[in-house]
Amino acid sequence: MAQPPEADLELLHRVDALVRADRSREALELLERDWPTFSIRGAYAVEAWALRALALCTAGRVAEGLASASHVPAGSSYEERIQGACVP
């Protein structure tokens, strides 16, 4: 069952803060714990995929990060951050 949008947004804020603080492994743990209930087709789907990509790439799991990034449309506000984290 999907979480309410407010819970999704709170999760994304926490994940983004962890990624920005170079705590990608913690961000991934949080995402992986809540991913089954996260509404990846909901209002924050692009943000969820983008932050997942960033967390994976900065944790050294680049192939998985790029796979997640494929769900983020070109021109997204996350595009530059993803390229910086995932593309050497």
Side-chain angles (χ1 to χ4, degrees), residues 33-44:
R33 184 194 73 208
D34 289 344
W35 197 257
T37 60
F38 192 85
S39 178
I40 59 171
R41 290 180 180 82
Y44 304 111

Side-chain angles (χ1 to χ4, degrees), residues 9-26:
L9 185 58
E10 180 181 329
L11 171 68
L12 293 175
H13 283 299
R14 290 172 48 205
V15 168
D16 190 33
L18 288 167
V19 170
R20 289 178 185 273
D22 292 325
R23 296 168 54 192
S24 297
R25 294 197 194 289
E26 291 174 67

Side-chain angles (χ1 to χ4, degrees), residues 16 32 34 50 53 60 66-67 73 76 79:
D16 190 33
E32 288 172 1
D34 289 344
L66 290 171
S76 161
E79 187 174 31

Side-chain angles (χ1 to χ4, degrees), residues 46-83:
V46 170
E47 290 82 0
W49 284 109
L51 289 170
R52 187 170 193 268
L54 287 165
L56 286 163
C57 287
T58 57
R61 295 167 54 184
V62 176
E64 293 171 87
L66 290 171
S68 289
S70 71
H71 296 278
V72 180
S76 161
S77 61
Y78 289 94
E79 187 174 31
E80 189 173 312
R81 280 180 71 192
I82 291 171
Q83 286 179 351

